Amino acid sequence: MSSAEFQPIQGMSDLVPPEVTRWQSVEAQARHILDLYGFDEIRTPLLERTEVFQRSLGDTTDVVQKEMYSFEDRGGRSLTLRPEGTAGVMRHLAGRGPDGQEARVFYWGPMFRSERPQAGRKRQFHQLGAEALGPPNPAADAEMLALQLQLLTGFGLTGCQVQLNTRGTFEDRGSVEQGLRDALQPHVSELGADDQRRFKENVLRVLDSKEPATRSVVASLPPVTSFMSPDSRRYLEEVERMLNLLSIDVQVNPRLVRGLDYYVHTVWEITHDALGAQDALSGGGRYQIELGGKTMEGVGFAMGLERVLTVLLQEEGEAAKPIPGNLVWIVSLGESAFRENLILVQTLRLRGIRCRLDLSGRSMKAQMRAANRAGATTVIIRGEQEMEKGTFQVKSMEDGKQEELAMAELLQRLAPLHVHNA
Ligand code: AMP
C-alpha cells in the first residue's frame, strides 16, 4: 500500500496528540469565557439544504458560487456541507419563536470549503463563532468585539490587530454600489478577470480582492462611508466611541467589506502578523438575514481555530506534551489471575482510578515493557502465588520499589490516584 492511502483527503487533517491537547485547552478556555458573557452553545448539523446557504450568504458570494461542497442525496435534494456556521444557526433560531430573536449562542466545529489548499487555507477547518440576536445597537457590536479579544488573549495570543468598517444599511447599498462603480469604471481594464466579473455582478466584492493589481486600484478609491447616509456614519462613530471606552484599539479600514451579503453596519476583521498571506484570525459584523418570512438581526463573528493554533504554536514552540496522569497497569500471569484481574480493573475504574489491564497474555517481561511504553506509574502483578495468598505485587514505576499488598491495602494505596486523575 502506498503511503497516500493513509493520508486524509487533501486540505483536511487528522488531529492527534500532542497537538489535540492544545485544541482541548483552547476549547475549555473558550467555553469558560463565553459563559462569562452569557452565551449558550448550539450544535447544528454539518449538512443543510443548499438553499439555507444560498439565501443567507447571497447567491453572488465566492463561498456560494465556488466553495461549497454540494451534492444531491438519494432523494434528489441538494444538500451542502456547511461552509460557515451562521446560516444554520439562523435557520434554527428563525424557527424558534420570539426568543430566537434575542438569543445569545455560540458554536464550535468543522466547516468545509472547496478552496485551493495552501498555508492557512484548508478544506476542512474549524471555527468558533458567536451570535447575539437583536436590532442594531452599537453597544452590542462593541461587546462582540470585546468578547473576541478576551477569547484571543485568554488563549494566550498577543499582538492581534482589529480592522473596523461599516457596510451601512441596506438602503445605503444602492448609492454605495453606484458610487463604487463610477469610481472604478475608468480602471476596469486594470482589474483581474475575476474582478471584472465581480465588478458587473457585485461591485463590493472587488474591494475584497486579493489580486495585487486590483488592490492598488482599490487603494485609490474614496472610502465607502462617503457614499452612505449620515446616520450610518454616526453608527460607526458610536461603535468606535464605545470601543474607546473599553480601551480597545482598532484601525478603521474604509475598504473592508467582508465577503457576505448579509452584513449591515459594523464589520471587522482581526489579523495577526505571524500568519503571512492568510492573516485573518477572525471576522464578523452585524447582519440582517431574511429567512422564511422572518428578519433575523444580530451581530456575530467566526474565528478560525487552525490559525489561532498556528500562532499559539509559533509563539510557544512545539505543542507541550501533556503532563501524564497516573496510570495503573495490571499484569496477569496465568489464566485464573487474568480472570480475577478482569474484575479488579472494573473495580478500580468504578472507583475513578485510571487503569489498563494487559490483555496480551504474553510473558511478564513483555507485559512490563508495554506498561513502560504506556507511561504506567504503578504496576499490579498477579500470578499463581499471589492468587493463592490473596495478595498483589505492587510496583512503583517511579522509584522501582515493589511490595506485596492485600486487597484492602491495595485499594487504600491507590485511593489518592482518584483525586489526581479527576
Ligand atoms: P470568514 O467568515 O470566511 O472570514 O471566516 C472566518 C475565519 O475563519 C477567518 O478569519 C479564518 O480565520 C477562518 N477561515 C476561513 N476560511 C478558512 C480556510 N479555508 N481554512 C482555514 N481557516 C479559514
Side-chain angles (χ1 to χ4, degrees):
M1 273 196 277
S2 77
S3 63
E5 286 185 57
F6 304 128
Q7 299 300 318
I9 294 169
Q10 201 196 7
M12 307 195 179
S13 302
D14 300 317
L15 279 174
V16 296
E19 202 185 321
V20 79
T21 55
R22 203 70 195 80
W23 280 78
Q24 287 161 351
S25 68
V26 165
E27 183 172 349
Q29 182 67 10
R31 285 177 187 284
H32 170 64
I33 293 171
L34 285 153
D35 185 49
L36 296 179
Y37 281 75
F39 284 81
D40 294 320
E41 185 175 9
I42 178 167
R43 300 185 188 190
T44 61
L46 304 192
L47 269 182
E48 297 277 356
R49 289 184 298 280
T50 300
E51 73 217 30
V52 169
F53 303 110
Q54 284 168 335
R55 291 226 189 104
S56 293
L57 311 185
D59 274 337
T60 60
T61 54
D62 276 359
V63 170
V64 169
Q65 283 195 339
K66 298 195 295 199
E67 296 170 3
M68 295 204 304
Y69 279 106
S70 301
F71 61 94
E72 272 193 9
D73 74 356
R74 287 166 200 271
R77 288 168 289 253
S78 177
L79 302 182
T80 294
L81 272 169
R82 65 180 187 192
E84 58 96 61
T86 303
V89 170
M90 290 308 135
R91 173 200 45 70
H92 169 83
L93 295 178
R96 214 165 85 173
D99 79 315
Q101 311 280 342
E102 49 192 45
R104 281 161 83 83
V105 293
F106 77 90
Y107 58 86
W108 169 290
M111 306 293 158
F112 304 85
R113 293 186 195 174
S114 106
E115 301 185 87
R116 197 168 55 80
Q118 51 181 282
R121 190 171 276 175
K122 306 194 60 92
R123 290 181 167 170
Q124 177 177 328
F125 57 99
H126 297 76
Q127 284 184 341
L128 162 63
E131 316 288 354
L133 279 285
N137 181 342
D141 303 6
E143 186 190 36
M144 216 43 153
L145 258 165
L147 164 59
Q148 275 165 105
L149 290 170
Q150 187 165 348
L151 284 166
L152 290 165
T153 39
F155 300 154
L157 283 182
T158 50
C160 301
Q161 282 148 11
V162 184
Q163 290 183 41
L164 187 76
N165 196 21
T166 178
R167 290 278 300 258
T169 59
F170 284 148
E171 290 73 46
D172 289 322
R173 209 154 275 188
S175 58
V176 169
E177 286 176 3
Q178 194 53 50
L180 283 176
R181 231 178 251 119
D182 292 346
L184 274 168
Q185 189 65 56
H187 305 284
V188 172
S189 59
E190 298 162 42
L191 306 178
D194 254 5
D195 292 324
Q196 295 197 12
R197 175 181 58 76
R198 291 192 182 111
F199 174 76
K200 286 197 206 110
E201 285 181 0
N202 191 339
V203 67
L204 274 172
R205 213 56 1 100
V206 177
L207 302 199
D208 260 351
S209 173
K210 300 274 183 273
E211 279 223 19
T214 306
R215 286 178 83 115
S216 66
V217 174
V218 166
S220 68
L221 295 176
V224 282
T225 41
S226 65
F227 308 118
M228 289 175 192
S229 70
D231 277 354
S232 293
R233 284 201 290 271
R234 265 197 294 279
Y235 188 104
L236 176 64
E237 284 159 15
E238 192 56 26
V239 175
E240 284 183 73
R241 251 194 300 280
M242 292 190 164
L243 291 171
N244 204 1
L245 212 64
L246 298 172
S247 308
I248 293 174
D249 270 345
V250 297
Q251 191 194 346
V252 174
N253 173 355
R255 283 156 203 103
L256 178 74
V257 292
R258 307 262 312 136
L260 308 175
D261 283 349
Y262 54 45
Y263 287 113
V264 290
H265 289 304
T266 324
V267 286
W268 63 77
E269 211 151 76
I270 302 183
T271 57
H272 199 286
D273 282 344
L275 281 172
Q278 306 297 326
D279 64 353
L281 280 173
S282 180
R286 173 158 289 285
Y287 48 77
Q288 184 177 321
I289 299 174
E290 308 296 328
L291 262 187
K294 286 207 179 164
T295 301
M296 305 302 287
E297 294 181 295
V299 59
F301 71 85
M303 189 179 283
L305 293 163
E306 275 75 6
R307 296 190 192 172
V308 166
L309 268 288
T310 301
V311 180
L312 276 180
L313 293 181
Q314 262 182 37
E315 289 187 351
E316 294 172 4
E318 284 296 290
K321 283 233 159 46
I323 300 158
N326 286 305
L327 175 65
V328 175
W329 192 270
I330 303 173
V331 169
S332 318
L333 301 171
E335 187 57 31
S336 62
F338 179 74
R339 275 177 209 283
E340 285 301 312
N341 281 343
L342 272 175
I343 303 168
L344 175 66
V345 73
Q346 187 183 47
T347 307
L348 295 183
R349 285 174 179 156
L350 286 172
R351 288 169 177 249
I353 291 164
R354 187 165 169 248
C355 50
R356 292 265 310 272
L357 172 62
D358 196 306
L359 302 174
S360 69
R362 285 178 299 186
S363 70
M364 163 96 172
K365 213 167 150 191
Q367 293 190 49
M368 289 304 289
R369 258 205 307 271
N372 237 327
R373 266 203 309 276
T377 44
T378 306
V379 176
I380 299 174
I381 305 157
R382 217 158 28 161
E384 294 304 327
Q385 277 181 15
E386 288 77 21
M387 289 291 292
E388 273 168 30
K389 289 196 272 176
T391 58
F392 306 85
Q393 298 291 339
V394 181
K395 180 170 182 169
S396 157
M397 299 299 271
E398 274 142 16
D399 58 18
K401 278 197 194 126
Q402 189 166 317
E403 287 172 275
E404 190 166 352
L405 303 177
M407 185 65 163
E409 294 168 318
L410 175 73
L411 292 180
Q412 210 172 19
R413 175 69 55 87
L414 297 182
L417 302 189
H418 167 60
V419 182
H420 288 302
N421 288 324

